[in-house]
């Protein structure tokens, strides 16, 4: 049951309500780095390209996201968490739509490698910062555990 009495209760309910959307956004941003590896051969066949071309696209996505993670964090400090989070969702979504409708490797590279990479780099810093700020405990174990569990390949464990 959620406490809602007084100002502190409203803040507690708001903080708890924010954890699930943040965890889902973290899952989407992290899932993008691994989802294409599962169907490399099928995607290459569908687009009429080589497996090497798809692997290059995946590598470019990872490099784009990694190279822009620190600038994305700095932009989060300048523009604010909410703006960067929403901008990251829009850029990532546009890239996902473009990649899903791609008829060849060049559009897949623009949609997946460039736009989804930039979107992920804009999404991840505000997600991490917001999950830490929304925690009602110190250290912020429950929010951090939810954020960490949302990453593909992670093994969820109870908060200490």
């Amino acid at each position: 049951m959620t406490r809602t009495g007084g100002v502190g209760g409203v803040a507690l309910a708001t903080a708890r309500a924010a954890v699930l959307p943040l965890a889902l956004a973290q899952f989407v941003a992290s899932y993008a780095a691994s989802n294409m590896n599962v169907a490399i051969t099928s995607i290459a066949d569908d687009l009429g390209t080589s497996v090497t071309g798809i692997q290059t696209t995946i590598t470019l996505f990872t490099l784009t996201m990694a190279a822009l993670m620190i600038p994305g964090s700095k932009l989060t400090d300048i523009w604010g968490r909410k703006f960067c989070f929403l901008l990251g969702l829009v850029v990532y979504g546009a890239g996902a739509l473009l990649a899903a409708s791609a008829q060849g490797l060049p559009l897949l590279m623009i949609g997946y490698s460039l736009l989804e990479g930039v979107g992920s780099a804009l999404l991840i810093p505000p997600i991490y910062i917001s999950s830490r700020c929304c925690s009602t405990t110190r250290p912020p174990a429950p929010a951090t555990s939810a954020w960490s569990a949302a990453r593909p390949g992670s093994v969820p464990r109870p908060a200490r």
Side-chain angles (χ1 to χ4, degrees):
M1 182 158 204
T2 304
R3 290 187 333 207
T4 56
V7 175
V10 173
L12 178 63
T14 303
R16 285 185 180 164
V19 172
L20 180 62
L22 291 172
L24 291 173
Q26 173 61 30
F27 176 76
V28 168
S30 297
Y31 182 70
S34 60
N35 66 347
M36 296 257 300
N37 288 314
V38 176
I40 289 176
T41 307
S42 302
I43 295 169
D45 291 342
D46 288 346
L47 296 179
T49 188
S50 66
V51 170
T52 304
I54 303 300
Q55 288 174 331
T56 302
T57 302
I58 295 168
T59 302
L60 289 174
F61 165 79
T62 306
L63 290 173
T64 302
M65 183 177 65
L68 296 177
M69 193 69 68
I70 292 175
S73 182
K74 184 64 177 173
L75 288 175
T76 300
D77 289 341
I78 295 169
W79 292 340
R81 292 187 310 247
K82 183 177 180 180
F83 180 78
C84 279
F85 179 77
L86 294 174
L87 181 63
L89 283 175
V90 168
V91 172
Y92 184 91
L97 286 174
L98 186 60
S101 62
Q103 297 295 314
L105 192 59
L107 277 180
L108 183 68
M109 280 190 176
I110 292 169
Y112 180 74
S113 298
L114 182 65
L115 293 176
E116 284 189 35
V118 170
S120 292
L122 285 171
L123 270 175
I124 292 174
I127 291 169
Y128 181 70
I129 294 166
S130 296
S131 68
R132 304 273 298 177
C133 292
C134 287
S135 180
T136 57
T137 62
R138 295 289 175 241
T144 304
S145 294
W147 180 79
S148 298
R151 292 183 303 201
S154 65
V155 178
R157 64 176 191 260
R160 294 181 202 177

